[in-house]
Amino acid sequence: DAGITQSPRHKVTETGTPVTLRCHQTENHRYMYWYRQDPGHGLRLIHYSYGVKDTDKGEVSDGYSVSRSKTEDFLLTLESATSSQTSVYFCAISDWTGRDYGYTFGSGTRLTVV
Amino acid sequence: EDQVTQSPEALRLQEGESSSLNCSYTVSGLRGLFWYRQDPGKGPEFLFTLYSAGEEKEKERLKATLTKKESFLHITAPKPEDSATYLCAVSFTGNQFYFGTGTSLTVIP
């Protein structure tokens, strides 16, 4: 996915440990988002950012925190991972300047909490 | 309460057999309806945005239409490479999107 990368691509972690996922963009877009994707639920918004140090909660934000200290990086932290946070996490960016302001998604991070 | 419902959950078509996918929504004050394609192991790829009832957009074999309460993604003469999951999303705040659970399309040669 041009302009947006997520790391790591896969991670296995133990219950109770902190985990940080990284999203990096080279498009200089203002808006960045973290979603999780689970079978039967579709994509659900965790947190989003509308600028450096400007973030807000989505519909499933409990247990997650985010930080954005630079335009290009948006970090998602699971403070104390639980098995219910096993999921595929997607980062997305949007510039909202054009008529078609669809998201550009990263390739995802598959997180397994054991 | 689901904001966005997609149907069918899965669809198998023979190559060349045209069909339609449905996305219905319950939000009021729609700002935009979005269609995405997602291949296994990858992130969703943006296809279309529709803003108002009556609007239509086309891309290759795909055509998206919008009414006041639903959208259709018409696939004309599909090919095996059109096999993917198609996601619909709606926005009414501008900053938050609500996604459906998708329709998994398989096109058989």
PDB file of all heavy atoms in Angstrom, chain A residues 9 31 33 35 37 40 42-43 45 57 90 96 99-103 105-106, chain B residues 34 36 38 41-44 46 49 51 57 87 94-97 99 101:
ATOM      1  N   ARG A   9       3.864  -6.726  11.047  1.00  0.00           N
ATOM      2  CA  ARG A   9       2.773  -7.329  10.281  1.00  0.00           C
ATOM      3  C   ARG A   9       2.078  -8.423  11.075  1.00  0.00           C
ATOM      4  O   ARG A   9       0.881  -8.642  10.937  1.00  0.00           O
ATOM      5  CB  ARG A   9       3.289  -7.904   8.966  1.00  0.00           C
ATOM      6  CG  ARG A   9       3.723  -6.872   7.950  1.00  0.00           C
ATOM      7  CD  ARG A   9       2.549  -5.989   7.484  1.00  0.00           C
ATOM      8  NE  ARG A   9       1.370  -6.745   7.130  1.00  0.00           N
ATOM      9  CZ  ARG A   9       1.147  -7.290   5.949  1.00  0.00           C
ATOM     10  NH1 ARG A   9       2.052  -7.204   4.995  1.00  0.00           N
ATOM     11  NH2 ARG A   9       0.012  -7.944   5.704  1.00  0.00           N
ATOM     12  N   TYR A  31      -5.483  13.330   8.615  1.00  0.00           N
ATOM     13  CA  TYR A  31      -6.275  12.374   9.387  1.00  0.00           C
ATOM     14  C   TYR A  31      -5.669  10.977   9.341  1.00  0.00           C
ATOM     15  O   TYR A  31      -5.294  10.490   8.269  1.00  0.00           O
ATOM     16  CB  TYR A  31      -7.704  12.309   8.842  1.00  0.00           C
ATOM     17  CG  TYR A  31      -8.514  13.553   9.122  1.00  0.00           C
ATOM     18  CD1 TYR A  31      -8.469  14.636   8.248  1.00  0.00           C
ATOM     19  CD2 TYR A  31      -9.318  13.627  10.249  1.00  0.00           C
ATOM     20  CE1 TYR A  31      -9.208  15.787   8.504  1.00  0.00           C
ATOM     21  CE2 TYR A  31     -10.059  14.776  10.513  1.00  0.00           C
ATOM     22  CZ  TYR A  31      -9.997  15.843   9.643  1.00  0.00           C
ATOM     23  OH  TYR A  31     -10.731  16.963   9.895  1.00  0.00           O
ATOM     24  N   TYR A  33      -6.277   6.940  11.265  1.00  0.00           N
ATOM     25  CA  TYR A  33      -7.270   6.154  11.987  1.00  0.00           C
ATOM     26  C   TYR A  33      -6.699   4.779  12.332  1.00  0.00           C
ATOM     27  O   TYR A  33      -5.894   4.229  11.594  1.00  0.00           O
ATOM     28  CB  TYR A  33      -8.513   5.925  11.112  1.00  0.00           C
ATOM     29  CG  TYR A  33      -9.124   7.176  10.524  1.00  0.00           C
ATOM     30  CD1 TYR A  33      -8.576   7.761   9.385  1.00  0.00           C
ATOM     31  CD2 TYR A  33     -10.259   7.750  11.078  1.00  0.00           C
ATOM     32  CE1 TYR A  33      -9.136   8.900   8.828  1.00  0.00           C
ATOM     33  CE2 TYR A  33     -10.829   8.889  10.523  1.00  0.00           C
ATOM     34  CZ  TYR A  33     -10.262   9.463   9.411  1.00  0.00           C
ATOM     35  OH  TYR A  33     -10.817  10.584   8.855  1.00  0.00           O
ATOM     36  N   TYR A  35      -8.347   0.979  13.074  1.00  0.00           N
ATOM     37  CA  TYR A  35      -9.516   0.115  13.073  1.00  0.00           C
ATOM     38  C   TYR A  35      -9.085  -1.291  13.479  1.00  0.00           C
ATOM     39  O   TYR A  35      -7.940  -1.686  13.295  1.00  0.00           O
ATOM     40  CB  TYR A  35     -10.126   0.022  11.671  1.00  0.00           C
ATOM     41  CG  TYR A  35     -11.001   1.186  11.273  1.00  0.00           C
ATOM     42  CD1 TYR A  35     -10.450   2.332  10.726  1.00  0.00           C
ATOM     43  CD2 TYR A  35     -12.378   1.121  11.422  1.00  0.00           C
ATOM     44  CE1 TYR A  35     -11.261   3.397  10.347  1.00  0.00           C
ATOM     45  CE2 TYR A  35     -13.194   2.182  11.042  1.00  0.00           C
ATOM     46  CZ  TYR A  35     -12.623   3.310  10.512  1.00  0.00           C
ATOM     47  OH  TYR A  35     -13.422   4.364  10.136  1.00  0.00           O
ATOM     48  N   GLN A  37     -10.536  -5.358  12.809  1.00  0.00           N
ATOM     49  CA  GLN A  37     -11.445  -6.129  11.973  1.00  0.00           C
ATOM     50  C   GLN A  37     -11.598  -7.519  12.543  1.00  0.00           C
ATOM     51  O   GLN A  37     -10.607  -8.242  12.690  1.00  0.00           O
ATOM     52  CB  GLN A  37     -10.953  -6.198  10.527  1.00  0.00           C
ATOM     53  CG  GLN A  37     -11.956  -6.819   9.564  1.00  0.00           C
ATOM     54  CD  GLN A  37     -11.501  -6.744   8.120  1.00  0.00           C
ATOM     55  OE1 GLN A  37     -10.323  -6.923   7.809  1.00  0.00           O
ATOM     56  NE2 GLN A  37     -12.443  -6.484   7.203  1.00  0.00           N
ATOM     57  N   GLY A  40     -17.676 -11.143  11.607  1.00  0.00           N
ATOM     58  CA  GLY A  40     -19.013 -10.837  12.088  1.00  0.00           C
ATOM     59  C   GLY A  40     -19.214  -9.421  12.577  1.00  0.00           C
ATOM     60  O   GLY A  40     -20.345  -9.020  12.860  1.00  0.00           O
ATOM     61  N   GLY A  42     -17.137  -6.640  11.128  1.00  0.00           N
ATOM     62  CA  GLY A  42     -16.637  -5.652  10.187  1.00  0.00           C
ATOM     63  C   GLY A  42     -15.536  -4.818  10.806  1.00  0.00           C
ATOM     64  O   GLY A  42     -14.991  -5.132  11.869  1.00  0.00           O
ATOM     65  N   LEU A  43     -15.228  -3.726  10.182  1.00  0.00           N
ATOM     66  CA  LEU A  43     -14.213  -2.805  10.673  1.00  0.00           C
ATOM     67  C   LEU A  43     -14.825  -1.860  11.704  1.00  0.00           C
ATOM     68  O   LEU A  43     -15.855  -1.237  11.453  1.00  0.00           O
ATOM     69  CB  LEU A  43     -13.641  -1.987   9.519  1.00  0.00           C
ATOM     70  CG  LEU A  43     -12.679  -2.723   8.609  1.00  0.00           C
ATOM     71  CD1 LEU A  43     -12.667  -2.103   7.222  1.00  0.00           C
ATOM     72  CD2 LEU A  43     -11.282  -2.708   9.217  1.00  0.00           C
ATOM     73  N   LEU A  45     -13.946   1.384  14.441  1.00  0.00           N
ATOM     74  CA  LEU A  45     -12.990   2.443  14.731  1.00  0.00           C
ATOM     75  C   LEU A  45     -12.563   2.420  16.196  1.00  0.00           C
ATOM     76  O   LEU A  45     -13.395   2.404  17.102  1.00  0.00           O
ATOM     77  CB  LEU A  45     -13.608   3.803  14.391  1.00  0.00           C
ATOM     78  CG  LEU A  45     -12.724   5.025  14.596  1.00  0.00           C
ATOM     79  CD1 LEU A  45     -11.524   4.990  13.649  1.00  0.00           C
ATOM     80  CD2 LEU A  45     -13.536   6.299  14.389  1.00  0.00           C
ATOM     81  N   LYS A  57     -11.635   9.414  20.486  1.00  0.00           N
ATOM     82  CA  LYS A  57     -12.017   8.018  20.608  1.00  0.00           C
ATOM     83  C   LYS A  57     -13.015   7.619  19.541  1.00  0.00           C
ATOM     84  O   LYS A  57     -13.837   8.415  19.093  1.00  0.00           O
ATOM     85  CB  LYS A  57     -12.638   7.778  21.988  1.00  0.00           C
ATOM     86  CG  LYS A  57     -11.699   8.005  23.144  1.00  0.00           C
ATOM     87  CD  LYS A  57     -12.416   7.769  24.472  1.00  0.00           C
ATOM     88  CE  LYS A  57     -11.461   7.981  25.641  1.00  0.00           C
ATOM     89  NZ  LYS A  57     -12.143   7.748  26.943  1.00  0.00           N
ATOM     90  N   PHE A  90      -5.984  -2.378  11.411  1.00  0.00           N
ATOM     91  CA  PHE A  90      -5.686  -1.605  10.213  1.00  0.00           C
ATOM     92  C   PHE A  90      -5.561  -0.130  10.546  1.00  0.00           C
ATOM     93  O   PHE A  90      -6.374   0.424  11.285  1.00  0.00           O
ATOM     94  CB  PHE A  90      -6.786  -1.760   9.160  1.00  0.00           C
ATOM     95  CG  PHE A  90      -6.807  -3.093   8.484  1.00  0.00           C
ATOM     96  CD1 PHE A  90      -7.703  -4.077   8.875  1.00  0.00           C
ATOM     97  CD2 PHE A  90      -5.922  -3.369   7.443  1.00  0.00           C
ATOM     98  CE1 PHE A  90      -7.721  -5.304   8.243  1.00  0.00           C
ATOM     99  CE2 PHE A  90      -5.931  -4.597   6.817  1.00  0.00           C
ATOM    100  CZ  PHE A  90      -6.835  -5.571   7.220  1.00  0.00           C
ATOM    101  N   TRP A  96      -9.077  14.440   3.034  1.00  0.00           N
ATOM    102  CA  TRP A  96     -10.289  15.243   3.116  1.00  0.00           C
ATOM    103  C   TRP A  96     -10.230  16.508   2.280  1.00  0.00           C
ATOM    104  O   TRP A  96     -10.983  17.435   2.493  1.00  0.00           O
ATOM    105  CB  TRP A  96     -10.616  15.637   4.563  1.00  0.00           C
ATOM    106  CG  TRP A  96     -10.999  14.474   5.388  1.00  0.00           C
ATOM    107  CD1 TRP A  96     -10.146  13.583   5.972  1.00  0.00           C
ATOM    108  CD2 TRP A  96     -12.316  14.035   5.720  1.00  0.00           C
ATOM    109  NE1 TRP A  96     -10.856  12.628   6.650  1.00  0.00           N
ATOM    110  CE2 TRP A  96     -12.178  12.886   6.515  1.00  0.00           C
ATOM    111  CE3 TRP A  96     -13.582  14.530   5.424  1.00  0.00           C
ATOM    112  CZ2 TRP A  96     -13.283  12.201   7.006  1.00  0.00           C
ATOM    113  CZ3 TRP A  96     -14.672  13.854   5.929  1.00  0.00           C
ATOM    114  CH2 TRP A  96     -14.511  12.705   6.707  1.00  0.00           C
ATOM    115  N   ARG A  99     -12.767  15.678  -3.553  1.00  0.00           N
ATOM    116  CA  ARG A  99     -14.186  15.350  -3.586  1.00  0.00           C
ATOM    117  C   ARG A  99     -14.417  13.941  -3.057  1.00  0.00           C
ATOM    118  O   ARG A  99     -15.366  13.680  -2.336  1.00  0.00           O
ATOM    119  CB  ARG A  99     -14.693  15.465  -5.022  1.00  0.00           C
ATOM    120  CG  ARG A  99     -16.132  15.023  -5.226  1.00  0.00           C
ATOM    121  CD  ARG A  99     -17.099  15.945  -4.550  1.00  0.00           C
ATOM    122  NE  ARG A  99     -18.493  15.581  -4.875  1.00  0.00           N
ATOM    123  CZ  ARG A  99     -19.540  15.947  -4.161  1.00  0.00           C
ATOM    124  NH1 ARG A  99     -19.376  16.689  -3.094  1.00  0.00           N
ATOM    125  NH2 ARG A  99     -20.762  15.594  -4.516  1.00  0.00           N
ATOM    126  N   ASP A 100     -13.532  13.036  -3.421  1.00  0.00           N
ATOM    127  CA  ASP A 100     -13.656  11.656  -2.975  1.00  0.00           C
ATOM    128  C   ASP A 100     -12.675  11.412  -1.842  1.00  0.00           C
ATOM    129  O   ASP A 100     -11.510  11.127  -2.076  1.00  0.00           O
ATOM    130  CB  ASP A 100     -13.363  10.687  -4.132  1.00  0.00           C
ATOM    131  CG  ASP A 100     -14.498  10.663  -5.124  1.00  0.00           C
ATOM    132  OD1 ASP A 100     -15.661  10.699  -4.689  1.00  0.00           O
ATOM    133  OD2 ASP A 100     -14.222  10.618  -6.324  1.00  0.00           O
ATOM    134  N   TYR A 101     -13.124  11.545  -0.634  1.00  0.00           N
ATOM    135  CA  TYR A 101     -12.211  11.462   0.490  1.00  0.00           C
ATOM    136  C   TYR A 101     -12.173  10.080   1.107  1.00  0.00           C
ATOM    137  O   TYR A 101     -12.237   9.905   2.307  1.00  0.00           O
ATOM    138  CB  TYR A 101     -12.525  12.519   1.553  1.00  0.00           C
ATOM    139  CG  TYR A 101     -13.952  12.536   2.068  1.00  0.00           C
ATOM    140  CD1 TYR A 101     -14.326  11.824   3.201  1.00  0.00           C
ATOM    141  CD2 TYR A 101     -14.918  13.296   1.426  1.00  0.00           C
ATOM    142  CE1 TYR A 101     -15.622  11.847   3.685  1.00  0.00           C
ATOM    143  CE2 TYR A 101     -16.208  13.328   1.898  1.00  0.00           C
ATOM    144  CZ  TYR A 101     -16.564  12.616   3.027  1.00  0.00           C
ATOM    145  OH  TYR A 101     -17.824  12.654   3.493  1.00  0.00           O
ATOM    146  N   GLY A 102     -12.083   9.081   0.270  1.00  0.00           N
ATOM    147  CA  GLY A 102     -11.984   7.730   0.789  1.00  0.00           C
ATOM    148  C   GLY A 102     -10.679   7.509   1.532  1.00  0.00           C
ATOM    149  O   GLY A 102      -9.715   8.227   1.359  1.00  0.00           O
ATOM    150  N   TYR A 103     -10.694   6.525   2.381  1.00  0.00           N
ATOM    151  CA  TYR A 103      -9.498   6.153   3.124  1.00  0.00           C
ATOM    152  C   TYR A 103      -8.510   5.409   2.228  1.00  0.00           C
ATOM    153  O   TYR A 103      -8.904   4.717   1.294  1.00  0.00           O
ATOM    154  CB  TYR A 103      -9.852   5.164   4.226  1.00  0.00           C
ATOM    155  CG  TYR A 103     -10.595   5.654   5.411  1.00  0.00           C
ATOM    156  CD1 TYR A 103     -11.059   4.745   6.347  1.00  0.00           C
ATOM    157  CD2 TYR A 103     -10.848   6.995   5.631  1.00  0.00           C
ATOM    158  CE1 TYR A 103     -11.749   5.144   7.469  1.00  0.00           C
ATOM    159  CE2 TYR A 103     -11.534   7.406   6.755  1.00  0.00           C
ATOM    160  CZ  TYR A 103     -11.985   6.474   7.670  1.00  0.00           C
ATOM    161  OH  TYR A 103     -12.678   6.868   8.782  1.00  0.00           O
ATOM    162  N   PHE A 105      -5.910   2.423   3.241  1.00  0.00           N
ATOM    163  CA  PHE A 105      -5.608   1.532   4.348  1.00  0.00           C
ATOM    164  C   PHE A 105      -4.208   0.958   4.219  1.00  0.00           C
ATOM    165  O   PHE A 105      -3.694   0.746   3.114  1.00  0.00           O
ATOM    166  CB  PHE A 105      -6.597   0.367   4.381  1.00  0.00           C
ATOM    167  CG  PHE A 105      -7.931   0.710   4.972  1.00  0.00           C
ATOM    168  CD1 PHE A 105      -8.940   1.218   4.173  1.00  0.00           C
ATOM    169  CD2 PHE A 105      -8.181   0.509   6.317  1.00  0.00           C
ATOM    170  CE1 PHE A 105     -10.182   1.525   4.711  1.00  0.00           C
ATOM    171  CE2 PHE A 105      -9.415   0.814   6.862  1.00  0.00           C
ATOM    172  CZ  PHE A 105     -10.420   1.322   6.059  1.00  0.00           C
ATOM    173  N   GLY A 106      -3.624   0.652   5.371  1.00  0.00           N
ATOM    174  CA  GLY A 106      -2.402  -0.128   5.392  1.00  0.00           C
ATOM    175  C   GLY A 106      -2.717  -1.599   5.204  1.00  0.00           C
ATOM    176  O   GLY A 106      -3.878  -1.991   5.045  1.00  0.00           O
TER     177      GLY A 106
ATOM    178  N   PHE B  34     -19.475   4.693   0.976  1.00  0.00           N
ATOM    179  CA  PHE B  34     -18.204   4.284   0.385  1.00  0.00           C
ATOM    180  C   PHE B  34     -18.212   2.792   0.100  1.00  0.00           C
ATOM    181  O   PHE B  34     -18.728   1.997   0.897  1.00  0.00           O
ATOM    182  CB  PHE B  34     -17.057   4.600   1.352  1.00  0.00           C
ATOM    183  CG  PHE B  34     -17.006   6.047   1.761  1.00  0.00           C
ATOM    184  CD1 PHE B  34     -17.843   6.536   2.750  1.00  0.00           C
ATOM    185  CD2 PHE B  34     -16.127   6.923   1.156  1.00  0.00           C
ATOM    186  CE1 PHE B  34     -17.807   7.867   3.132  1.00  0.00           C
ATOM    187  CE2 PHE B  34     -16.087   8.255   1.519  1.00  0.00           C
ATOM    188  CZ  PHE B  34     -16.922   8.728   2.509  1.00  0.00           C
ATOM    189  N   TYR B  36     -15.545  -0.417  -0.807  1.00  0.00           N
ATOM    190  CA  TYR B  36     -14.165  -0.856  -0.802  1.00  0.00           C
ATOM    191  C   TYR B  36     -14.112  -2.305  -1.249  1.00  0.00           C
ATOM    192  O   TYR B  36     -15.046  -3.078  -1.044  1.00  0.00           O
ATOM    193  CB  TYR B  36     -13.559  -0.777   0.612  1.00  0.00           C
ATOM    194  CG  TYR B  36     -13.339   0.617   1.119  1.00  0.00           C
ATOM    195  CD1 TYR B  36     -14.379   1.319   1.722  1.00  0.00           C
ATOM    196  CD2 TYR B  36     -12.100   1.232   1.004  1.00  0.00           C
ATOM    197  CE1 TYR B  36     -14.186   2.606   2.184  1.00  0.00           C
ATOM    198  CE2 TYR B  36     -11.904   2.520   1.462  1.00  0.00           C
ATOM    199  CZ  TYR B  36     -12.945   3.195   2.053  1.00  0.00           C
ATOM    200  OH  TYR B  36     -12.764   4.472   2.516  1.00  0.00           O
ATOM    201  N   GLN B  38     -11.685  -5.749  -0.634  1.00  0.00           N
ATOM    202  CA  GLN B  38     -10.641  -6.284   0.226  1.00  0.00           C
ATOM    203  C   GLN B  38     -10.258  -7.687  -0.229  1.00  0.00           C
ATOM    204  O   GLN B  38     -11.100  -8.585  -0.278  1.00  0.00           O
ATOM    205  CB  GLN B  38     -11.076  -6.306   1.694  1.00  0.00           C
ATOM    206  CG  GLN B  38      -9.960  -6.721   2.635  1.00  0.00           C
ATOM    207  CD  GLN B  38     -10.336  -6.595   4.098  1.00  0.00           C
ATOM    208  OE1 GLN B  38     -11.515  -6.612   4.457  1.00  0.00           O
ATOM    209  NE2 GLN B  38      -9.341  -6.452   4.966  1.00  0.00           N
ATOM    210  N   GLY B  41      -5.824 -11.071   3.340  1.00  0.00           N
ATOM    211  CA  GLY B  41      -4.539 -10.667   3.880  1.00  0.00           C
ATOM    212  C   GLY B  41      -4.115  -9.252   3.554  1.00  0.00           C
ATOM    213  O   GLY B  41      -2.979  -8.856   3.828  1.00  0.00           O
ATOM    214  N   LYS B  42      -5.026  -8.484   2.996  1.00  0.00           N
ATOM    215  CA  LYS B  42      -4.700  -7.105   2.631  1.00  0.00           C
ATOM    216  C   LYS B  42      -5.711  -6.128   3.225  1.00  0.00           C
ATOM    217  O   LYS B  42      -6.775  -6.513   3.689  1.00  0.00           O
ATOM    218  CB  LYS B  42      -4.677  -6.954   1.112  1.00  0.00           C
ATOM    219  CG  LYS B  42      -3.589  -7.758   0.431  1.00  0.00           C
ATOM    220  CD  LYS B  42      -3.503  -7.421  -1.044  1.00  0.00           C
ATOM    221  CE  LYS B  42      -2.372  -8.168  -1.716  1.00  0.00           C
ATOM    222  NZ  LYS B  42      -2.262  -7.830  -3.166  1.00  0.00           N
ATOM    223  N   GLY B  43      -5.335  -4.853   3.195  1.00  0.00           N
ATOM    224  CA  GLY B  43      -6.254  -3.828   3.646  1.00  0.00           C
ATOM    225  C   GLY B  43      -7.276  -3.501   2.575  1.00  0.00           C
ATOM    226  O   GLY B  43      -7.058  -3.767   1.393  1.00  0.00           O
ATOM    227  N   PRO B  44      -8.402  -2.935   2.974  1.00  0.00           N
ATOM    228  CA  PRO B  44      -9.421  -2.546   1.987  1.00  0.00           C
ATOM    229  C   PRO B  44      -8.881  -1.513   1.007  1.00  0.00           C
ATOM    230  O   PRO B  44      -8.084  -0.649   1.377  1.00  0.00           O
ATOM    231  CB  PRO B  44     -10.533  -1.953   2.857  1.00  0.00           C
ATOM    232  CG  PRO B  44     -10.329  -2.547   4.211  1.00  0.00           C
ATOM    233  CD  PRO B  44      -8.850  -2.698   4.348  1.00  0.00           C
ATOM    234  N   PHE B  46     -10.004   1.436  -1.691  1.00  0.00           N
ATOM    235  CA  PHE B  46     -11.106   2.342  -1.998  1.00  0.00           C
ATOM    236  C   PHE B  46     -11.577   2.177  -3.444  1.00  0.00           C
ATOM    237  O   PHE B  46     -10.767   2.111  -4.376  1.00  0.00           O
ATOM    238  CB  PHE B  46     -10.638   3.780  -1.759  1.00  0.00           C
ATOM    239  CG  PHE B  46     -11.596   4.836  -2.210  1.00  0.00           C
ATOM    240  CD1 PHE B  46     -12.787   5.029  -1.539  1.00  0.00           C
ATOM    241  CD2 PHE B  46     -11.305   5.642  -3.295  1.00  0.00           C
ATOM    242  CE1 PHE B  46     -13.670   6.014  -1.947  1.00  0.00           C
ATOM    243  CE2 PHE B  46     -12.184   6.624  -3.709  1.00  0.00           C
ATOM    244  CZ  PHE B  46     -13.367   6.806  -3.036  1.00  0.00           C
ATOM    245  N   THR B  49     -17.055   6.712  -3.832  1.00  0.00           N
ATOM    246  CA  THR B  49     -17.818   7.471  -2.856  1.00  0.00           C
ATOM    247  C   THR B  49     -19.085   7.976  -3.536  1.00  0.00           C
ATOM    248  O   THR B  49     -19.020   8.494  -4.654  1.00  0.00           O
ATOM    249  CB  THR B  49     -17.044   8.691  -2.329  1.00  0.00           C
ATOM    250  OG1 THR B  49     -15.753   8.295  -1.905  1.00  0.00           O
ATOM    251  CG2 THR B  49     -17.786   9.317  -1.163  1.00  0.00           C
ATOM    252  N   TYR B  51     -22.597  10.443  -2.727  1.00  0.00           N
ATOM    253  CA  TYR B  51     -23.003  11.476  -1.778  1.00  0.00           C
ATOM    254  C   TYR B  51     -24.500  11.709  -1.704  1.00  0.00           C
ATOM    255  O   TYR B  51     -25.013  12.140  -0.669  1.00  0.00           O
ATOM    256  CB  TYR B  51     -22.329  12.800  -2.126  1.00  0.00           C
ATOM    257  CG  TYR B  51     -20.838  12.760  -1.973  1.00  0.00           C
ATOM    258  CD1 TYR B  51     -20.015  12.489  -3.063  1.00  0.00           C
ATOM    259  CD2 TYR B  51     -20.238  12.984  -0.738  1.00  0.00           C
ATOM    260  CE1 TYR B  51     -18.633  12.446  -2.918  1.00  0.00           C
ATOM    261  CE2 TYR B  51     -18.863  12.953  -0.596  1.00  0.00           C
ATOM    262  CZ  TYR B  51     -18.079  12.674  -1.691  1.00  0.00           C
ATOM    263  OH  TYR B  51     -16.721  12.639  -1.547  1.00  0.00           O
ATOM    264  N   LYS B  57     -21.703   5.795  -9.995  1.00  0.00           N
ATOM    265  CA  LYS B  57     -20.299   5.850 -10.398  1.00  0.00           C
ATOM    266  C   LYS B  57     -19.900   4.504 -10.964  1.00  0.00           C
ATOM    267  O   LYS B  57     -20.395   3.476 -10.526  1.00  0.00           O
ATOM    268  CB  LYS B  57     -19.410   6.233  -9.218  1.00  0.00           C
ATOM    269  CG  LYS B  57     -19.559   7.688  -8.839  1.00  0.00           C
ATOM    270  CD  LYS B  57     -18.500   8.130  -7.878  1.00  0.00           C
ATOM    271  CE  LYS B  57     -18.657   9.625  -7.602  1.00  0.00           C
ATOM    272  NZ  LYS B  57     -17.722  10.092  -6.563  1.00  0.00           N
ATOM    273  N   LEU B  87     -16.753  -4.270   0.765  1.00  0.00           N
ATOM    274  CA  LEU B  87     -17.205  -3.616   1.983  1.00  0.00           C
ATOM    275  C   LEU B  87     -17.900  -2.300   1.665  1.00  0.00           C
ATOM    276  O   LEU B  87     -17.479  -1.571   0.762  1.00  0.00           O
ATOM    277  CB  LEU B  87     -16.012  -3.320   2.893  1.00  0.00           C
ATOM    278  CG  LEU B  87     -15.130  -4.482   3.327  1.00  0.00           C
ATOM    279  CD1 LEU B  87     -13.920  -3.969   4.098  1.00  0.00           C
ATOM    280  CD2 LEU B  87     -15.922  -5.453   4.179  1.00  0.00           C
ATOM    281  N   GLY B  94     -18.708  12.822   9.297  1.00  0.00           N
ATOM    282  CA  GLY B  94     -17.573  13.313   8.539  1.00  0.00           C
ATOM    283  C   GLY B  94     -16.275  12.698   8.991  1.00  0.00           C
ATOM    284  O   GLY B  94     -15.380  12.491   8.203  1.00  0.00           O
ATOM    285  N   ASN B  95     -16.160  12.404  10.275  1.00  0.00           N
ATOM    286  CA  ASN B  95     -14.924  11.845  10.792  1.00  0.00           C
ATOM    287  C   ASN B  95     -15.014  10.366  11.113  1.00  0.00           C
ATOM    288  O   ASN B  95     -13.994   9.734  11.300  1.00  0.00           O
ATOM    289  CB  ASN B  95     -14.518  12.570  12.066  1.00  0.00           C
ATOM    290  CG  ASN B  95     -13.948  13.934  11.782  1.00  0.00           C
ATOM    291  OD1 ASN B  95     -13.414  14.158  10.713  1.00  0.00           O
ATOM    292  ND2 ASN B  95     -14.062  14.831  12.717  1.00  0.00           N
ATOM    293  N   GLN B  96     -16.203   9.843  11.243  1.00  0.00           N
ATOM    294  CA  GLN B  96     -16.344   8.442  11.595  1.00  0.00           C
ATOM    295  C   GLN B  96     -17.127   7.705  10.519  1.00  0.00           C
ATOM    296  O   GLN B  96     -18.128   8.196  10.019  1.00  0.00           O
ATOM    297  CB  GLN B  96     -17.039   8.291  12.940  1.00  0.00           C
ATOM    298  CG  GLN B  96     -16.222   8.852  14.098  1.00  0.00           C
ATOM    299  CD  GLN B  96     -16.650   8.292  15.431  1.00  0.00           C
ATOM    300  OE1 GLN B  96     -17.167   7.195  15.509  1.00  0.00           O
ATOM    301  NE2 GLN B  96     -16.446   9.062  16.486  1.00  0.00           N
ATOM    302  N   PHE B  97     -16.618   6.535  10.207  1.00  0.00           N
ATOM    303  CA  PHE B  97     -17.243   5.690   9.211  1.00  0.00           C
ATOM    304  C   PHE B  97     -17.768   4.439   9.896  1.00  0.00           C
ATOM    305  O   PHE B  97     -17.132   3.911  10.801  1.00  0.00           O
ATOM    306  CB  PHE B  97     -16.215   5.269   8.157  1.00  0.00           C
ATOM    307  CG  PHE B  97     -15.754   6.394   7.266  1.00  0.00           C
ATOM    308  CD1 PHE B  97     -15.068   7.467   7.771  1.00  0.00           C
ATOM    309  CD2 PHE B  97     -16.022   6.353   5.910  1.00  0.00           C
ATOM    310  CE1 PHE B  97     -14.649   8.507   6.948  1.00  0.00           C
ATOM    311  CE2 PHE B  97     -15.601   7.371   5.079  1.00  0.00           C
ATOM    312  CZ  PHE B  97     -14.917   8.450   5.594  1.00  0.00           C
ATOM    313  N   PHE B  99     -18.784   0.598   9.047  1.00  0.00           N
ATOM    314  CA  PHE B  99     -18.619  -0.404   8.005  1.00  0.00           C
ATOM    315  C   PHE B  99     -19.608  -1.536   8.159  1.00  0.00           C
ATOM    316  O   PHE B  99     -19.940  -1.940   9.282  1.00  0.00           O
ATOM    317  CB  PHE B  99     -17.203  -0.996   8.069  1.00  0.00           C
ATOM    318  CG  PHE B  99     -16.151  -0.122   7.455  1.00  0.00           C
ATOM    319  CD1 PHE B  99     -15.587   0.919   8.178  1.00  0.00           C
ATOM    320  CD2 PHE B  99     -15.708  -0.344   6.159  1.00  0.00           C
ATOM    321  CE1 PHE B  99     -14.612   1.731   7.619  1.00  0.00           C
ATOM    322  CE2 PHE B  99     -14.736   0.453   5.595  1.00  0.00           C
ATOM    323  CZ  PHE B  99     -14.186   1.491   6.316  1.00  0.00           C
ATOM    324  N   THR B 101     -20.335  -5.699   7.282  1.00  0.00           N
ATOM    325  CA  THR B 101     -19.488  -6.885   7.447  1.00  0.00           C
ATOM    326  C   THR B 101     -19.032  -7.466   6.121  1.00  0.00           C
ATOM    327  O   THR B 101     -18.247  -8.403   6.107  1.00  0.00           O
ATOM    328  CB  THR B 101     -20.200  -7.962   8.264  1.00  0.00           C
ATOM    329  OG1 THR B 101     -21.464  -8.233   7.663  1.00  0.00           O
ATOM    330  CG2 THR B 101     -20.410  -7.495   9.696  1.00  0.00           C
TER     331      THR B 101
END
